[in-house]
Structures are given as structure tokens and as C-alpha cells.
Amino acid sequence: MNYYGSPVMRLIEEFARLPGVGTKSASRMAFYILNSPDEKANALAGAILDAKKSAQYCKHCYNLTDKEVCYICDSSRRDDTTVMVVESPQDMAAYEKTKEYSGLYHILHGAISPMNGISPANLRIKELLARLDSDSPITEIIIATNPNIEGEATAMYLSKLLKPLGVKITRIAHGVPVGGDLEHVDPITLLRALQHRREL
Amino acid sequence: MNYYGSPVMRLIEEFARLPGVGTKSASRMAFYILNSPDEKANALAGAILDAKKSAQYCKHCYNLTDKEVCYICDSSRRDDTTVMVVESPQDMAAYEKTKEYSGLYHILHGAISPMNGISPANLRIKELLARLDSDSPITEIIIATNPNIEGEATAMYLSKLLKPLGVKITRIAHGVPVGGDLEHVDPITLLRALQHRREL
């Protein structure tokens, strides 16, 4: 039903498309916007368009950034001999919050999952291989894919692929709860998992 | 920290301002937008700006609409002798979903709440009085404000204000909710249900 007129109903529908948002939350959001000053609505709409327009992948690690190279790859204070491979930018952010890891990252943008039609070719794996060419300073690759079936399969795949290249391959320790998502793990557990990484 | 570049961080912040949205949900929403086709992002941004621009209050009942008069006040099939007074457009929509009420509405846009600095002057009460002028067809006002302290206070206030005008004033019944267990109903509601018992 078109209770509040088409534009408001359309706004509620659009909010309800967002992940984790039901119709009731969506209408709460819509009424919040309608009761806010114009600047707030413009700020949200502008942020959506802006992020969509300017967000791009770092040409080294495939983190999200608004520049060619992300702030981590661009920093001179990071240890460029170590690269941590993660599934998503959120997982990178989760490790950054420990404030202890000083190496670089590589974002795969997913994990191998035949059920969902995601094969190694859909991930940023050849871009990772390209970072390991002959004059690369990288001596260790830490595999920090999620501790679930897809993440473990991806870790196994990467370890088999990368070992012949003579670089040390490690896996974060199973201090992280099996079956969880890195994004939701507390920083201390993440830190333990980093400290106890094992050579594969 | 500026993990994903300013535009993405700003989008996460803007989503996190919405009611009921924390930082984690906000970043899930932001990544959903970033991973969607451009049209979806444009649709959401457009819906925000559109709703903000074109939503207005119905000049009779103060429901939200994109026209001068809302679809309910504009309908010839509604009974214009009865007006239900509710706190918000969402409450109107809740009663519309019953598909049984065929009268009109009046939206107060709030309830009297001295704690939150909301006095009768902040509500659409004088607009309700204006609907009750000498040549008005209205014979009954149903007060359907929320069954909480603010809603009851508003109901009392309206009943005192409107009774001298010679119109019938009613209040929606208090009682046990249909489909519930008596065991889980609070004592005050049980008492009301007993006091307002009807002969069968």
C-alpha cells in the first residue's frame, strides 16, 4: 500500500534492500531522514554517490582507497617483507585495529567456494603472484583467510601454490574461533592468532 | 582510522547516523553499495533526495504524501464523519493494515511529553480543531494515541478540549492482545481488561 505517497514508499523500499534491514527499520530510517534538516539527507545521498564514484582498489594490495595506492602500501613505516593475505577489506581493518601488525596486506576479495561458483580465478590470486616476482622484498606470506571451510580451502590452495616460490608461508593460529568471521573477532584473539602463526 | 579512503569511511559514518545502525552494520551497508551496480547506488541516493524534496503533509490530516491531499482524504469511499487521531503516520499505516477502518485520520506528529519539551502547541492540535468548524460532517473522534504515559496524557487533554464542541469522543479499548498468553500480559493490562469486560 502507498500509505505515505510514492517518494516516501520508494525510500523505504530502497532502505529495505540494504543488508540486515527489514521494512520496520527501513521506515524508521526513512522517517529519520524526513525529519532531519536537508543537509543531513544531502550528506547521506552525497556520500553514497561519492563513495561509489571515487572508491577504487589499491594497485598493490587491492584494498579500497580513493587514491592509486592505499595508505598502508604508501607508508614508509610498514615492513614490506611481510604480506598478510585476507579475504576482505573489513578483515584488513580488523587486523589493523590490533595496532601490532606492521607488514603489508593483500586482499583476495573472497574465498574459494565451489558452492557459490567462486574459483581461484575470481580472486586476486594472480595479482598476489605478481607481487612475488624475482626482485620482490617479500619473505613471508601470512595467510589470514577466515577460519571456516572456504577460508581453509583457500589457505590450502595458496600454500600449495606459493611454497614452490621459496617464500615462507604461514597461517594464523587457531586461536580464532572456528566457524566465525574475522570481522567479528575481538582484537586480543586476533593478536594471539597472529603470534601463534605456523609454517605450512 | 581511514582504512578504506575518505569517501568510503564517510559513507560508513553517514549510514551509522541512521537510527538502529551501528558501525558494523554501517560498513556492511557501505560494502553492499560498493559491490552493487551503479544503478542501485543511484536509486538509493535518488530516493533520499526525492523523498526529502517532494514529501509534504496532507493539508487535511497531516499524513505524509507527495500531493496536496493524501490518498485517504482524497478518497470518496471513506466515511468522513469519523476521524481517528494517531501520533504518527506509522500508526495510521498500522490501522490501515486492519482493512476494517473506513473513516479518516488526523496525525498529531507526536504526543504531549513535558520531559521531552513537547507541549500541545508542538502537535497538530489546532489543525484538528479547525477540522471541527460549524459546517464539518465529523460526528466522532476516535483517540488512538499510544497506550503509554504520553499517549494517555494526550488522550486526556484532547478529550477535555473536544468534548465542549459537542462531538462524540472515544478511546480505543485497552485489553489483552489477541493471540497472546494471559501469563505474559502485564498486571495493569489484565486489570484494564477486567474493568472493561463486555457482556457476551
Side-chain angles (χ1 to χ4, degrees):
Chain A
M1 268 309 299
N2 189 4
Y3 299 122
Y4 317 121
S6 316
V8 178
M9 295 311 283
R10 189 161 72 87
L11 180 56
I12 295 174
E13 276 164 33
E14 288 295 338
F15 274 133
R17 276 188 232 282
L18 293 172
V21 180
T23 321
K24 284 227 167 103
S25 314
S27 48
R28 218 163 34 237
M29 291 175 186
F31 281 99
Y32 170 85
I33 289 290
L34 291 170
N35 292 324
S36 302
D38 274 2
E39 303 82 64
K40 281 209 178 171
N42 294 342
L44 176 55
I48 291 165
L49 298 174
D50 243 44
K52 197 68 193 163
K53 199 179 65 195
S54 65
Q56 53 178 304
Y57 292 137
C58 168
K59 68 174 184 175
H60 299 307
C61 73
Y62 293 86
N63 182 18
L64 276 165
T65 170
D66 54 336
K67 308 199 178 60
E68 206 180 0
V69 175
C70 79
Y71 80 105
I72 295 175
C73 292
D74 200 38
S75 164
S76 56
R77 288 185 304 178
R78 307 293 299 214
D79 166 16
D80 65 356
T81 64
T82 310
V83 170
M84 179 185 284
V85 177
V86 291
E87 292 181 22
S88 71
Q90 291 100 309
D91 294 342
M92 175 281 293
Y95 255 110
E96 278 301 283
K97 281 172 197 150
T98 68
K99 296 186 198 303
E100 289 284 332
Y101 178 69
S102 63
L104 303 176
Y105 292 93
H106 190 85
I107 325 280
L108 295 177
H109 290 278
I112 298 169
S113 172
M115 292 271 288
N116 298 309
I118 301 173
S119 75
N122 302 119
L123 307 177
R124 298 289 183 173
I125 291 178
K126 67 176 185 298
E127 289 85 350
L128 175 60
L129 287 171
R131 293 177 75 174
L132 291 164
D133 61 9
S134 51
D135 56 349
S136 149
I138 300 168
T139 56
E140 180 176 357
I141 301 273
I142 304 169
I143 305 178
T145 50
N146 281 325
N148 55 23
I149 295 173
E150 290 82 11
E152 294 294 352
T154 309
M156 288 303 296
Y157 178 88
L158 286 177
S159 124
K160 276 183 188 153
L161 187 74
L162 301 175
K163 258 198 178 151
L165 304 180
V167 69
K168 185 175 167 189
I169 311 292
T170 56
R171 174 87 173 110
I172 51 168
H174 266 309
V176 289
V178 176
D181 263 337
L182 277 194
E183 202 188 336
H184 302 123
V185 176
D186 67 281
I188 296 178
T189 308
L190 287 173
L191 200 56
R192 287 290 141 72
L194 177 64
Q195 287 159 347
H196 298 157
R197 64 187 185 273
R198 301 168 293 114
E199 189 161 350
L200 294 180
Chain B
M1 269 309 299
N2 188 4
Y3 300 122
Y4 317 122
S6 316
V8 178
M9 296 310 284
R10 190 161 71 87
L11 179 56
I12 294 173
E13 276 163 34
E14 288 294 338
F15 275 132
R17 274 188 233 281
L18 294 173
V21 180
T23 321
K24 279 208 170 130
S25 314
S27 48
R28 216 160 40 232
M29 291 175 185
F31 281 98
Y32 170 84
I33 289 289
L34 291 169
N35 292 324
S36 301
D38 274 0
E39 304 82 64
K40 280 208 179 174
N42 294 342
L44 176 56
I48 292 166
L49 299 175
D50 244 40
K52 196 68 192 162
K53 199 178 63 193
S54 65
Q56 52 178 305
Y57 292 136
C58 168
K59 69 174 182 173
H60 299 308
C61 74
Y62 293 86
N63 181 20
L64 277 166
T65 171
D66 54 335
K67 307 197 179 65
E68 207 181 355
V69 174
C70 79
Y71 79 106
I72 294 176
C73 291
D74 201 37
S75 165
S76 57
R77 289 186 303 178
R78 308 292 298 213
D79 166 15
D80 64 358
T81 64
T82 311
V83 170
M84 180 185 282
V85 177
V86 292
E87 292 182 21
S88 70
Q90 292 100 310
D91 294 343
M92 176 279 295
Y95 255 106
E96 278 302 284
K97 281 173 197 150
T98 68
K99 295 187 199 303
E100 289 286 332
Y101 177 70
S102 63
L104 302 175
Y105 292 91
H106 189 85
I107 324 280
L108 295 176
H109 291 279
I112 298 170
S113 172
M115 293 271 288
N116 298 309
I118 301 172
S119 75
N122 301 122
L123 308 176
R124 298 290 182 171
I125 292 178
K126 64 176 185 297
E127 290 85 351
L128 175 60
L129 286 173
R131 293 178 75 175
L132 290 164
D133 60 10
S134 51
D135 55 347
S136 148
I138 300 170
T139 56
E140 180 177 357
I141 301 273
I142 303 169
I143 304 179
T145 50
N146 282 323
N148 55 23
I149 296 173
E150 290 82 8
E152 294 296 352
T154 309
M156 287 302 295
Y157 179 88
L158 286 177
S159 119
K160 277 183 190 155
L161 188 72
L162 302 175
K163 261 198 178 150
L165 303 179
V167 70
K168 185 174 166 190
I169 311 292
T170 56
R171 175 88 173 110
I172 50 167
H174 284 307
V176 291
V178 177
D181 265 336
L182 280 194
E183 194 186 337
H184 302 124
V185 177
D186 64 279
I188 297 176
T189 305
L190 286 176
L191 200 57
R192 287 288 148 79
L194 179 64
Q195 287 161 345
H196 301 156
R197 65 191 181 274
R198 298 171 301 111
E199 197 166 333
L200 291 180

